[in-house]
Amino acid sequence: MIDATVAARSDIAESVLGELIDAFGLGEVRERRYLADGLMNANWRLDTPVGQFALKRVTDVSLERVQRNLGVLATLSADGVPVSAPVPTISGSLVAQVEGAAWCLFPWVAGSHLRGVDLILSQVSALGTHLGRLHMSLGRACGRGLLPGVPETITVDVTSPERAVEKAERLSAAVRDKGTGSDFDKEVAAALDHRRALVLKYADHRPRSVTPEGGHGWTHGDVQYRNLLWQGGELAGVLDWDRIAVRPYAEEVVRTAQVQFGVGGVFDLARVSAFVEGYRSVVPLEPSALVDGARRLWWKRMTDFWQLEFHYDRGDFSFDELFTADEALLHWWTDRLDQVEGAFAAG
């Protein structure tokens, strides 16, 4: 279910398109096609006399951050990471600002978005290897001064049970006040009641320290199937570099495994272990750090309601299906905490 505001983002005003054609020296756009796979930003495929491109309108990252992140990609590409460096404007900028929006352009990369559970085990292991190399390459980019230095220590917030219950209660009130009585509203109301009970029941299982285990450094931030292109059985492209930031490596490994292999309300634990094994062949991350990362992500999913905040606070229904899927996985995961963490440790 997608609201009118989100549906409208697929349009580009002709005046805006004309300015973009001039800014990037495209000559003309023979055909443009909106790409519906993205969730946050808006993307199009452009066919022009000078080639095929992916055009992206950035909507949720500052201009300064976009420019910094795009400036890293040429180095990553030269380092062997499957990523396309952005096309500069005629003036040499990596971002075109048109009518208050930031736009960037990339050479078109052919490939398909494959869910993690649709990859064979050798591809799963290769994906883990790619993520390890990506982390190492970002570290080298930092060493060359393209990214700020990494602090010696970092901390990660651990939501308290009380705060989580307060969020759930606020959203329950929003369902009553703003809901229409739809099947989704009824599902959410029941889920929030159940979630409050789960938070209190498993409060003693939450992470106790704000300092995560294992190494940390620059990471991609959203490695998931919508941001990965596969061609001929190989990883052909890693997309969407808006969220580059310093994080625990285990956080990105575990999150990637969850979004890739937590499908249909269950974890594919064999693929989790193969993915982690591939990663650890490049980055010798301790099993205890991965177990710690898995517990932290589980608690974050237990205490986070961001999809419902989009729905009831912003009127954006784009992520309703994600809430339903994540809720199913959370309950399966909660019943098998040790089993899931064992899969991360076994890789």
Side-chain angles (χ1 to χ4, degrees):
M1 212 159 83
I2 300 176
D3 68 342
T5 300
V6 175
R9 72 180 183 173
S10 62
D11 295 330
I12 306 178
E14 291 301 323
S15 60
V16 171
L17 184 61
E19 289 192 50
L20 291 170
I21 289 172
D22 292 341
F24 289 107
L26 299 178
E28 64 174 315
V29 173
R30 295 169 175 166
E31 182 181 355
R32 70 177 184 265
R33 177 166 59 89
Y34 178 67
L35 305 174
D37 291 317
L39 291 177
M40 292 291 188
N41 301 302
N43 302 273
W44 293 261
R45 171 176 166 161
L46 305 182
D47 290 333
T48 80
V50 294
Q52 296 177 334
F53 301 93
L55 175 68
K56 177 176 183 176
R57 182 174 65 209
V58 182
T59 59
D60 61 344
V61 181
S62 70
L63 177 61
E64 179 183 13
R65 182 67 57 87
V66 172
Q67 291 173 325
R68 184 202 71 184
N69 292 356
L70 293 180
V72 175
L73 299 189
T75 296
L76 297 186
S77 180
D79 211 13
V81 178
V83 60
S84 292
V87 177
T89 65
I90 296 297
S91 65
S93 174
L94 299 181
V95 180
Q97 298 182 69
V98 177
E99 294 193 4
W103 303 79
C104 44
L105 191 73
F106 302 88
W108 182 258
V109 178
S112 301
H113 300 290
L114 301 179
R115 297 185 312 164
V117 293
D118 294 328
L119 303 175
I120 61 176
L121 285 179
S122 61
Q123 291 174 309
V124 170
S125 180
L127 179 59
T129 301
H130 276 293
L131 183 61
R133 291 174 178 166
L134 185 157
H135 286 169
M136 294 299 96
S137 187
L138 284 171
R140 286 189 286 272
C142 176
R144 294 170 187 151
L146 297 174
L147 293 168
V150 176
E152 290 187 9
T153 60
I154 59 174
T155 59
V156 177
D157 181 49
V158 177
T159 303
S160 70
E162 294 77 16
R163 183 179 167 199
V165 169
E166 287 175 4
K167 282 187 190 179
E169 289 175 344
R170 185 188 71 79
L171 284 164
S172 291
V175 174
R176 293 191 296 271
D177 296 342
K178 302 178 181 179
T180 61
S182 67
D183 288 343
F184 182 75
D185 290 331
K186 295 173 184 176
E187 176 187 347
V188 168
L192 287 170
D193 288 342
H194 196 182
R195 187 81 71 88
R196 284 195 294 272
L198 276 182
V199 166
L200 296 175
K201 180 179 178 179
Y202 288 94
D204 289 342
H205 291 66
R206 71 186 185 278
R208 293 294 181 173
S209 172
V210 297
T211 304
E213 292 189 32
H216 61 275
W218 287 96
T219 61
H220 177 279
D222 194 18
V223 181
Q224 45 107 340
Y225 79 93
R226 293 182 181 88
N227 293 331
L228 300 173
L229 288 171
W230 294 84
Q231 180 79 343
E234 303 292 332
L235 185 63
V238 181
L239 312 177
D240 194 7
W241 292 82
D242 298 346
R243 290 171 178 77
I244 295 176
V246 173
R247 300 179 180 89
Y249 289 133
E251 177 181 316
E252 177 135 288
V253 173
V254 173
R255 180 186 184 274
T256 300
Q258 185 247 298
V259 296
Q260 290 289 106
F261 313 119
V263 177
V266 302
F267 262 117
D268 187 319
L269 297 180
R271 283 177 167 79
V272 168
S273 293
F275 172 73
V276 171
E277 182 178 13
Y279 181 84
R280 294 188 68 239
S281 71
V282 179
V283 181
L285 196 60
E286 305 90 338
S288 62
L290 289 159
V291 170
D292 179 67
R295 182 61 62 97
R296 289 176 185 278
L297 184 61
W298 164 78
W299 185 249
K300 181 177 181 179
R301 296 289 184 256
M302 178 75 79
T303 59
D304 193 15
F305 307 91
W306 69 270
Q307 303 101 325
L308 300 184
E309 289 166 349
F310 268 81
H311 182 111
Y312 294 102
D313 296 344
R314 304 188 189 186
D316 184 341
F317 306 156
S318 307
F319 309 105
D320 290 1
E321 291 183 2
L322 280 183
F323 173 77
T324 300
D326 284 355
E327 192 70 10
L329 180 63
L330 174 65
H331 291 291
W332 187 93
W333 190 351
T334 299
D335 289 339
R336 298 165 180 83
L337 273 179
D338 292 342
Q339 189 176 346
V340 173
E341 291 168 8
F344 280 101

